[in-house]
């Protein structure tokens, strides 16, 4: 794809989606007005681990407005277990996860009964009347306790270990590298749990057809196509009778990449009662009804020579699955498994992950899904290696980068990186932030004994995105493919419809897909309509997650439009009695080479295709192209972020005074959309570093389920960001695009923590537990708390 001055692609076009969203005209699930709908309220376990001896629904059934109430036992025959689509090993243990628990609750928030009423608030009030006789059991909340099987949660499995997955191409070479290394860096990092907080809570409405058979499910989901398949399988329904619609969806970040109990419950109950059934999540309820992110112990070791050139990396993870495996829970750590060497040319590699069950909310994909965790570990360890070698953090990175001349680069874990220029993004970031000036300022402040110390943190990242190709996913035991589908049709009046299998929830697909097609067909972007997120309109698709929308879905759109042009060329040649090879196409018009007056606009071709009065023999009428694209490889965006902080050594307060992000996502369709994605991603990563933590006590009780206690950043805490970019096109797709939706989150967390550790290094502090709250920093400075690396297990996830 070549971007010219006249191109729509590459311009800063305002988003087509925004007027509807900003004026309140967009319709979300909770806005749907359905006469006669019943509301579901869930009775959730207050215990992290407890047997269910009995469920008494009597008082609830007598309550005003209540139509029905059910225990798990009442509905156990109505469905199968919730699906897990990623059995990462052949012997992976996957306990049955029913939408409503029958015998035992395994985390706070596990559904044990439901109430249906004709009013939302009547249902909630009645749910409070359900009496459940629980027998509390000891809970497992520490990952090392889970590994030790101190209490086995799912007794029939005999262990808390779900699986162990290893990627070690040459164990002997790894051992040899460590045995001969001049420097060995061994670090332990903790990835705390995070609570996703999309602007729109989850919600679902299931609407059965008046005379039975078909059912339409409206859900605030990222995956309408996958949800349709899984609902059909879980409830034993004919798939062609199930329609899923994702209306306006207010953010997801992976938390809506799932098949949830409430979607299955509402569908089953709507079919049972013959009326619409709906549920909308409460904010505090979300801590036990929506998945959580992260949750890992990371042990990482680097072996390097005297100059700091790394010869091997060795990683061992313990990953928190929570109480059950959700849709892709076990595979999330594996999405980072190939990237613990980061941007660096490291010849020897070992990765081992053990996934364990705990009595906490199930985990699953959260923005970046495995890639932020991997980047955090290698980028924190790189700073430790720089200190061991005695060189600047920027220099240790330069010495180890994969060189631009090495692409396509086959990494030790087995991936082939498509393209990159890592020194360029590092150099640009250091230039923009005035790195040398900051280091000089830092020296002055330290010499003066300033109580506000400057810290500079670097994070150079690479990620794999565009989840594909299908055969690679098959090798990882992933149940779905990595393809994406699109249709482009030019209507008789020359307006254009695009049908895409991707399902946006804030990314700007309607704008960007319109720009792609407008550039190709030579039309105005406003003349392009993009249809999505309804399986009746777009029957083929694999939806949006893993920064795959543009590089897979957008490429499918591009290639479908190319098919339209190819067919239109045949029609134009036939109409103008010219050779197909003699036709050129630009700015929406076919022209015959050497004959300036011989031309035919696309609008005329479209009408001729519609009337079918004079088409080439055997050609089907109408102008339409369909493409299902299965990419040959992932794409590999990269970049360098620099965080600059001031740490008050008297209070532990951290202030971010500057942040520079230089990202490379290949060719950009709309730089304004790119910047918006980077800004949002950075803030989520900064929030993990400084504010957010899903805290549990030793009994598995969540301690911060509301926004009064869970610190989602507001505009008051949001720092300013300076963004820049380089462009290194991907050779794996015709547009040369990569992905950007998760880059900010992947890069920012280690940049911020590296900056804090840098500020505190004169005090002998080189590690800080996340989130780096003023209290925790002050305790480290005052010596009242051991460094995180000396502490046991996942105590960092427990609010003491």
């Amino acid at each position: 794809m070549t971007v010219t001055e006249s191109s729509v692609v590459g311009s800063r076009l305002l988003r087509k989606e925004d007027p509807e969203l900003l004026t309140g005209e967009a319709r979300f699930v909770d806005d749907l007005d359905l006469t006669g709908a019943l509301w579901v309220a869930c009775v959730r376990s207050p215990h992290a681990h407890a047997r269910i001896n009995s469920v008494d629904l009597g008082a609830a059934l007598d309550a005003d407005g209540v139509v029905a109430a059910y225990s798990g036992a009442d509905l156990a025959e109505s469905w199968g277990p919730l699906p897990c689509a990623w059995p990462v090993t052949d012997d992976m243990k996957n306990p049955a996860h029913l939408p409503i628990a029958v015998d035992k609750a395994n985390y706070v928030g596990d559904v044990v009964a439901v109430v249906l009423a004709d009013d939302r608030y009547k249902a909630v009030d009645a749910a409070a009347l359900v009496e459940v006789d629980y027998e509390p059991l000891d809970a497992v909340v520490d990952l090392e306790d889970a590994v030790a099987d101190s209490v086995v949660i799912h007794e029939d499995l005999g262990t808390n270990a779900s699986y162990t997955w290893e990627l070690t191409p040459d164990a002997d070479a790894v051992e040899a590298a460590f045995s001969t290394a001049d420097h060995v860096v061994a670090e332990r990092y903790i990835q705390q749990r995070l609570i996703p907080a999309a602007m729109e809570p989850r919600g679902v409405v299931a609407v059965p057809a008046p005379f039975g058979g078909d059912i339409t499910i409206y859900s605030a989901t990222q995956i309408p196509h996958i949800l349709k398949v899984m609902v059909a399988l879980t409830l034993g329904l004919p798939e062609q009778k199930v329609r899923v619609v994702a209306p306006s969806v207010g953010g997801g970040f992976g938390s809506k990449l799932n098949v949830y109990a409430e979607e299955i419950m509402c569908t089953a109950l709507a079919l049972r009662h013959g009326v619409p059934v709906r549920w909308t999540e409460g904010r505090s309820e979300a801590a036990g009804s929506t998945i959580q992110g992260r949750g890992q112990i990371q042990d990482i070791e680097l072996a390097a020579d005297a100059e700091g050139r790394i010869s091997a990396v060795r990683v061992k993870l313990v990953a928190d699955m929570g109480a059950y495996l959700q849709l892709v829970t076990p595979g999330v750590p594996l999405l980072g498994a190939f990237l613990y060497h980061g941007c660096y040319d490291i010849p020897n590699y070992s990765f081992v992950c053990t996934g364990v069950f705990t009595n906490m909310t199930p985990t699953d994909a959260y923005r970046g899904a495995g890639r932020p965790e991997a980047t955090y570990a290698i980028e924190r360890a790189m700073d430790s290696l720089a200190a061991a070698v005695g060189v600047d953090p920027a220099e240790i990175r330069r010495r180890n980068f994969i060189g631009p001349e090495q692409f396509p680069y086959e990494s030790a874990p087995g991936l082939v990186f498509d393209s990159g220029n890592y020194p360029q993004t590092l150099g640009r970031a250091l230039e923009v932030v005035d790195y040398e000036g900051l280091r000089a300022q830092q020296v002055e402040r330290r010499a003066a004994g300033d109580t506000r110390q400057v810290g500079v943190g670097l994070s150079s990242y690479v990620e794999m995105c565009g989840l594909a190709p299908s055969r690679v996913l098959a090798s990882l035991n992933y149940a779905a493919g990595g393809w994406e589908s699109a249709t482009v049709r030019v209507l008789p009046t020359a307006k254009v419809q695009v049908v895409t299998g991707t399902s946006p929830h804030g990314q700007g697909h309607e704008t960007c897909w319109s720009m792609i097609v407008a550039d190709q067909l030579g039309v105005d972007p406003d003349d392009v309509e993009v249809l999505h997120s309804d399986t009746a309109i777009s029957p083929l698709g694999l939806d949006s997650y893993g920064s795959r929308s543009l590089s897979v879905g957008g490429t499918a759109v591009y290639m479908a439009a190319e098919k339209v042009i190819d067919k239109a060329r045949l029609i134009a040649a036939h109409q103008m009695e010219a050779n197909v090879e003699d036709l050129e196409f630009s700015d929406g018009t076919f022209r015959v080479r050497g004959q300036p007056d011989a031309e035919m606009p696309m609008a005329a071709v479209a009408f001729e295709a519609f009337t079918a009065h004079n088409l080439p023999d055997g050609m089907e009428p109408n102008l339409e192209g369909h493409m299902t694209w299965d990419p040959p490889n992932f794409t590999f965006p990269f970049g360098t972020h620099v965080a600059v902080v001031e740490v008050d050594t008297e209070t532990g307060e951290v202030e971010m005074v500057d942040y520079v992000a230089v990202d490379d996502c290949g060719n950009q369709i709309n730089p304004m959309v790119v910047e918006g994605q980077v800004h949002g991603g950075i803030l989520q990563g900064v929030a993990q570093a400084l504010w957010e933590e899903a805290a549990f006590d030793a009994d598995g009780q969540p301690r911060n389920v509301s926004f009064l206690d869970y610190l989602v950043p507001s505009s008051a805490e949001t720092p300013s960001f300076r963004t820049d970019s380089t462009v290194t096109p991907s050779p794996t797709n015709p547009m040369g695009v990569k992905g950007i939706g998760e880059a900010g989150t992947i890069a920012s967390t280690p940049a911020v923590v590296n900056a804090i550790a840098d500020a505190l290094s004169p005090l002998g502090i080189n590690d800080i537990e996340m989130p780096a709250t003023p209290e925790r920093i002050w305790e480290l400075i005052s010596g009242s708390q051991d460094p995180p690396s000396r502490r046991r297990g996942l105590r960092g996830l427990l609010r003491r």
Side-chain angles (χ1 to χ4, degrees), residues 343 398 401-409 417-425 638 728:
C343 305
R398 289 192 191 97
F401 276 148
I402 301 164
E405 73 285 352
Q406 294 178 263
F407 291 93
Y409 173 81
F417 288 23
D418 55 357
S419 62
N421 192 333
Y422 307 147
Q424 183 180 36
T425 55
F638 60 93
T728 308

Side-chain angles (χ1 to χ4, degrees), residues 624-638:
E624 178 177 289
H626 177 79
M627 182 67 193
T628 298
W629 165 244
D630 199 348
N633 194 6
F634 301 96
T635 63
F636 295 85
F638 60 93

Side-chain angles (χ1 to χ4, degrees), residues 490 519-523 561-609 619 623:
V490 184
D519 241 18
Q520 290 172 278
L521 301 185
V523 300
E562 288 294 296
K563 288 188 174 184
V564 169
I565 294 170
D566 290 343
K567 182 175 181 179
R569 190 186 306 275
L570 295 174
I571 297 172
H574 179 75
Q575 294 277 336
M576 292 189 288
E577 299 181 349
N579 291 324
V580 172
E581 296 80 10
D582 292 336
L583 259 61
E584 297 175 333
F585 180 69
S586 63
D587 300 324
T589 300
F590 290 97
R591 298 178 178 87
V592 180
R593 290 188 186 93
Q595 301 181 39
D597 296 331
E599 63 179 31
M600 188 174 187
M602 178 67 80
V605 176
F607 196 77
E608 291 292 339
M619 177 174 284
L623 199 51

Side-chain angles (χ1 to χ4, degrees), residues 206-258:
V207 183
F211 303 105
D214 294 2
I215 189 160
T216 299
I217 304 163
Y218 299 90
S219 179
T221 182
Q222 297 175 222
I223 52 167
H225 296 89
I226 295 173
L227 179 60
K228 176 173 73 83
V229 173
M230 293 304 183
V231 165
L233 291 173
T234 305
L235 294 176
L237 303 176
E239 186 187 346
Q240 74 275 17
K241 298 293 186 180
V242 179
R243 175 190 179 194
V244 175
V245 180
S248 295
V249 176
F253 316 116
S255 69
K256 295 175 182 174
L257 193 183
N258 236 295

Side-chain angles (χ1 to χ4, degrees), residues 572-728:
H574 179 75
Q575 294 277 336
M576 292 189 288
E577 299 181 349
N579 291 324
V580 172
E581 296 80 10
D582 292 336
L583 259 61
E584 297 175 333
F585 180 69
S586 63
D587 300 324
T589 300
F590 290 97
R591 298 178 178 87
V592 180
R593 290 188 186 93
Q595 301 181 39
D597 296 331
E599 63 179 31
M600 188 174 187
M602 178 67 80
V605 176
F607 196 77
E608 291 292 339
F610 166 67
T611 63
H613 292 169
N614 184 21
L615 297 180
D617 290 343
M619 177 174 284
E620 295 181 2
N622 296 308
L623 199 51
E624 178 177 289
H626 177 79
M627 182 67 193
T628 298
W629 165 244
D630 199 348
N633 194 6
F634 301 96
T635 63
F636 295 85
F638 60 93
T640 293
H641 289 206
V642 184
V644 184
V645 303
E646 288 186 355
V647 178
D648 190 326
T649 57
E650 293 183 330
T651 66
E653 179 189 10
V654 176
E655 179 184 357
M656 190 180 305
V657 296
D658 199 5
Y659 193 100
V660 169
V662 179
D663 297 283
D664 194 316
C665 59
N667 290 326
Q668 298 183 19
I669 304 302
N670 187 325
M672 186 182 299
V673 171
V674 170
E675 290 170 11
Q677 291 286 302
V678 170
H679 285 181
I682 289 171
L683 186 57
Q684 283 187 267
V686 171
Q688 178 176 6
L690 295 180
W691 303 301
E692 294 190 31
E693 174 187 30
F696 293 79
D697 67 16
D699 295 321
Q701 288 292 329
R703 307 305 298 168
N704 53 348
V705 298
S706 82
F707 288 158
L708 292 174
D709 302 302
Y710 188 82
L711 302 180
V712 174
S714 70
S715 57
E717 290 81 31
T718 302
S720 295
F721 311 125
R722 292 193 284 163
T723 60
D724 204 337
S725 61
T726 60
V727 176
T728 308

